[in-house]
Amino acid sequence: MFVTTTAASTASAETIVLSPSYNLPIAIVFLAVPLFFVQVWVSAAIALFGFFLLVQAATLRLSFTETALDIERGQTLIRRFPYQDWQNWRIFWSPVPILFYFKEVNSIHFLPILFDPKALRACLDARCRLS
């Protein structure tokens, strides 16, 4: 498990930043290759989506802080999801994780697995225990 850990302001609190995983974007790009011989435009659309996810995997980071899940691009915080607002979470298709779902009080979120799925599950189990 490749996880970057940084100390937060208190000694007991630490932030865990998940490492990127390029498995899903690369698999989508490779899926587009045989489709090229069947339907060029569909293949191009799928390959473009795969490359989009590849760029997202390279630039986005998920950080598990003491109180929230943060989505960051470089040093810029894009969105913060406080754990206290979470009602449910799930990682779809356990043998090959492809989608991370979580529900907050007012909204539902789906994120493709662009980060280490084992580290994601470990952080969710540790920080987001739901009753």
Side-chain angles (χ1 to χ4, degrees), residues 19-28 50 53-61 113-116:
S19 298
S21 171
Y22 302 102
N23 295 341
L24 181 62
I26 290 171
I28 291 173
L53 289 178
L54 197 62
V55 170
Q56 296 300 315
T59 59
L60 292 179
R61 292 295 168 261
I113 301 291
L114 302 177
F115 21 80
D116 181 11

Short mmCIF file of all heavy atoms in Angstrom, two decimals, residues 19-28 50 53-61 113-116:
data_model
loop_
_atom_site.label_atom_id
_atom_site.label_comp_id
_atom_site.label_asym_id
_atom_site.label_seq_id
_atom_site.Cartn_x
_atom_site.Cartn_y
_atom_site.Cartn_z
N SER A 19 -2.34 7.33 -2.86
CA SER A 19 -1.54 7.29 -4.08
C SER A 19 -2.43 7.05 -5.28
O SER A 19 -3.45 6.36 -5.18
CB SER A 19 -0.51 6.17 -4.00
OG SER A 19 0.37 6.40 -2.94
N PRO A 20 -2.05 7.58 -6.44
CA PRO A 20 -2.87 7.35 -7.64
C PRO A 20 -2.76 5.91 -8.12
O PRO A 20 -1.77 5.23 -7.89
CB PRO A 20 -2.28 8.32 -8.66
CG PRO A 20 -0.89 8.55 -8.21
CD PRO A 20 -0.90 8.43 -6.71
N SER A 21 -3.82 5.47 -8.78
CA SER A 21 -3.83 4.17 -9.44
C SER A 21 -4.29 4.41 -10.87
O SER A 21 -5.36 4.97 -11.10
CB SER A 21 -4.78 3.21 -8.74
OG SER A 21 -4.93 2.03 -9.50
N TYR A 22 -3.49 3.97 -11.82
CA TYR A 22 -3.81 4.20 -13.23
C TYR A 22 -4.47 2.98 -13.87
O TYR A 22 -4.66 2.95 -15.09
CB TYR A 22 -2.53 4.58 -13.98
CG TYR A 22 -1.88 5.81 -13.40
CD1 TYR A 22 -0.77 5.72 -12.58
CD2 TYR A 22 -2.41 7.08 -13.65
CE1 TYR A 22 -0.18 6.85 -12.05
CE2 TYR A 22 -1.83 8.21 -13.11
CZ TYR A 22 -0.72 8.08 -12.31
OH TYR A 22 -0.14 9.20 -11.76
N ASN A 23 -4.83 1.99 -13.08
CA ASN A 23 -5.38 0.74 -13.61
C ASN A 23 -6.66 0.95 -14.40
O ASN A 23 -6.80 0.44 -15.51
CB ASN A 23 -5.62 -0.27 -12.48
CG ASN A 23 -4.33 -0.69 -11.81
OD1 ASN A 23 -3.26 -0.55 -12.37
ND2 ASN A 23 -4.44 -1.20 -10.60
N LEU A 24 -7.63 1.65 -13.84
CA LEU A 24 -8.91 1.85 -14.51
C LEU A 24 -8.76 2.66 -15.80
O LEU A 24 -9.27 2.23 -16.85
CB LEU A 24 -9.92 2.49 -13.56
CG LEU A 24 -11.32 2.73 -14.12
CD1 LEU A 24 -11.98 1.41 -14.50
CD2 LEU A 24 -12.17 3.48 -13.11
N PRO A 25 -8.07 3.80 -15.79
CA PRO A 25 -7.93 4.55 -17.05
C PRO A 25 -7.21 3.76 -18.14
O PRO A 25 -7.62 3.80 -19.30
CB PRO A 25 -7.12 5.78 -16.65
CG PRO A 25 -7.29 5.92 -15.20
CD PRO A 25 -7.51 4.55 -14.67
N ILE A 26 -6.16 3.04 -17.77
CA ILE A 26 -5.42 2.27 -18.76
C ILE A 26 -6.29 1.14 -19.31
O ILE A 26 -6.28 0.86 -20.52
CB ILE A 26 -4.10 1.75 -18.18
CG1 ILE A 26 -3.15 2.92 -17.97
CG2 ILE A 26 -3.47 0.68 -19.07
CD1 ILE A 26 -1.89 2.60 -17.22
N ALA A 27 -7.08 0.49 -18.46
CA ALA A 27 -7.97 -0.59 -18.92
C ALA A 27 -9.01 -0.04 -19.89
O ALA A 27 -9.33 -0.70 -20.89
CB ALA A 27 -8.65 -1.25 -17.72
N ILE A 28 -9.52 1.15 -19.63
CA ILE A 28 -10.51 1.75 -20.53
C ILE A 28 -9.88 2.08 -21.88
O ILE A 28 -10.47 1.85 -22.93
CB ILE A 28 -11.15 2.99 -19.87
CG1 ILE A 28 -12.04 2.53 -18.72
CG2 ILE A 28 -11.95 3.80 -20.88
CD1 ILE A 28 -12.60 3.65 -17.88
N GLY A 50 -10.97 7.44 -21.37
CA GLY A 50 -9.85 6.81 -20.66
C GLY A 50 -8.70 7.77 -20.44
O GLY A 50 -8.12 7.83 -19.36
N LEU A 53 -9.64 10.25 -17.70
CA LEU A 53 -9.45 9.65 -16.38
C LEU A 53 -7.97 9.53 -16.03
O LEU A 53 -7.59 9.67 -14.86
CB LEU A 53 -10.13 8.28 -16.30
CG LEU A 53 -11.65 8.29 -16.28
CD1 LEU A 53 -12.19 6.85 -16.25
CD2 LEU A 53 -12.20 9.09 -15.13
N LEU A 54 -7.13 9.29 -17.01
CA LEU A 54 -5.69 9.22 -16.78
C LEU A 54 -5.15 10.57 -16.28
O LEU A 54 -4.37 10.61 -15.33
CB LEU A 54 -4.99 8.80 -18.07
CG LEU A 54 -3.57 8.29 -17.98
CD1 LEU A 54 -3.51 7.03 -17.13
CD2 LEU A 54 -3.03 8.00 -19.37
N VAL A 55 -5.60 11.64 -16.90
CA VAL A 55 -5.19 12.98 -16.46
C VAL A 55 -5.71 13.26 -15.06
O VAL A 55 -5.00 13.80 -14.21
CB VAL A 55 -5.68 14.06 -17.46
CG1 VAL A 55 -5.49 15.46 -16.90
CG2 VAL A 55 -4.96 13.91 -18.79
N GLN A 56 -6.95 12.86 -14.78
CA GLN A 56 -7.52 13.07 -13.45
C GLN A 56 -6.74 12.28 -12.40
O GLN A 56 -6.49 12.78 -11.31
CB GLN A 56 -9.00 12.66 -13.43
CG GLN A 56 -9.90 13.50 -14.31
CD GLN A 56 -9.88 14.96 -13.93
OE1 GLN A 56 -9.97 15.31 -12.76
NE2 GLN A 56 -9.76 15.81 -14.92
N ALA A 57 -6.36 11.05 -12.73
CA ALA A 57 -5.58 10.23 -11.78
C ALA A 57 -4.23 10.87 -11.49
O ALA A 57 -3.72 10.79 -10.37
CB ALA A 57 -5.40 8.82 -12.32
N ALA A 58 -3.66 11.52 -12.49
CA ALA A 58 -2.35 12.14 -12.30
C ALA A 58 -2.44 13.45 -11.52
O ALA A 58 -1.46 13.84 -10.87
CB ALA A 58 -1.71 12.40 -13.67
N THR A 59 -3.58 14.12 -11.56
CA THR A 59 -3.65 15.45 -10.95
C THR A 59 -4.45 15.52 -9.65
O THR A 59 -4.18 16.38 -8.82
CB THR A 59 -4.25 16.46 -11.94
OG1 THR A 59 -5.55 16.04 -12.33
CG2 THR A 59 -3.37 16.61 -13.16
N LEU A 60 -5.45 14.65 -9.47
CA LEU A 60 -6.29 14.71 -8.27
C LEU A 60 -5.71 13.86 -7.15
O LEU A 60 -5.10 12.82 -7.39
CB LEU A 60 -7.70 14.22 -8.57
CG LEU A 60 -8.54 15.07 -9.50
CD1 LEU A 60 -9.90 14.41 -9.72
CD2 LEU A 60 -8.72 16.47 -8.97
N ARG A 61 -5.95 14.29 -5.92
CA ARG A 61 -5.54 13.53 -4.74
C ARG A 61 -6.69 13.50 -3.74
O ARG A 61 -7.38 14.50 -3.54
CB ARG A 61 -4.32 14.14 -4.06
CG ARG A 61 -3.06 14.05 -4.85
CD ARG A 61 -2.61 12.60 -5.06
NE ARG A 61 -1.56 12.51 -6.05
CZ ARG A 61 -1.74 12.19 -7.32
NH1 ARG A 61 -2.94 11.93 -7.78
NH2 ARG A 61 -0.72 12.12 -8.14
N ILE A 113 -12.42 4.77 -9.35
CA ILE A 113 -11.27 4.39 -8.53
C ILE A 113 -9.99 4.80 -9.27
O ILE A 113 -9.49 4.08 -10.13
CB ILE A 113 -11.27 2.88 -8.23
CG1 ILE A 113 -12.54 2.47 -7.48
CG2 ILE A 113 -10.02 2.50 -7.43
CD1 ILE A 113 -12.64 2.98 -6.07
N LEU A 114 -9.50 5.98 -8.93
CA LEU A 114 -8.28 6.53 -9.53
C LEU A 114 -7.17 6.60 -8.49
O LEU A 114 -6.24 7.38 -8.63
CB LEU A 114 -8.55 7.93 -10.09
CG LEU A 114 -9.64 8.02 -11.15
CD1 LEU A 114 -9.87 9.47 -11.57
CD2 LEU A 114 -9.30 7.16 -12.35
N PHE A 115 -7.30 5.80 -7.43
CA PHE A 115 -6.36 5.80 -6.32
C PHE A 115 -6.30 4.38 -5.78
O PHE A 115 -7.12 3.55 -6.15
CB PHE A 115 -6.82 6.78 -5.22
CG PHE A 115 -8.29 7.09 -5.30
CD1 PHE A 115 -9.22 6.21 -4.79
CD2 PHE A 115 -8.73 8.23 -5.94
CE1 PHE A 115 -10.57 6.47 -4.90
CE2 PHE A 115 -10.09 8.49 -6.05
CZ PHE A 115 -11.01 7.62 -5.53
N ASP A 116 -5.36 4.11 -4.92
CA ASP A 116 -5.15 2.77 -4.39
C ASP A 116 -6.41 2.27 -3.67
O ASP A 116 -6.78 2.81 -2.64
CB ASP A 116 -3.96 2.81 -3.43
CG ASP A 116 -3.64 1.46 -2.84
OD1 ASP A 116 -4.17 0.44 -3.31
OD2 ASP A 116 -2.82 1.42 -1.90
#
